[in-house]
Amino acid sequence: MANHKSSLKRIRQDKKRAEHNHYYAKTMRNAVRKLRAMTNKDEAAALYPKVQKMLDKLAKTNIIHKNKAANLKSSLAKHISKL
């Protein structure tokens, strides 16, 4: 166990940040899953900018890697064009 006040605080902060990051990563995964499940092109095209914005924000704050965000956006755009 940690012996210093600063390390105890760091443990508390890390736990809080991990919980925060997990929430947003899970929300992003659900949004991507929802978009992939859509079969109507108009609905999917309407939802795509919101998902794209979410991916960009998460990449900017290092919750996901920027290349992962780019790959997801690309594959989702490809999915929408095939509908």
Side-chain angles (χ1 to χ4, degrees), residues 35 37-47 79-80 83:
L35 187 61
M38 287 186 170
T39 54
N40 185 352
K41 186 170 187 166
D42 295 332
E43 289 178 17
L47 182 64
H79 170 73
I80 290 171
L83 291 178

Side-chain angles (χ1 to χ4, degrees), residues 65-79:
H65 196 274
K66 63 177 184 164
N67 291 350
K68 180 183 177 76
N71 289 336
L72 283 171
K73 289 191 297 186
S74 173
S75 68
L76 290 173
K78 195 182 295 184
H79 170 73

Side-chain angles (χ1 to χ4, degrees), residues 14 16-27 29 58 61-63:
D14 288 343
K16 187 175 181 181
R17 285 196 185 107
E19 191 176 325
H20 176 267
N21 291 345
H22 178 75
Y23 169 78
Y24 282 103
K26 184 69 175 176
T27 304
R29 284 195 302 271
L58 293 178
T61 56
N62 291 322
I63 294 173

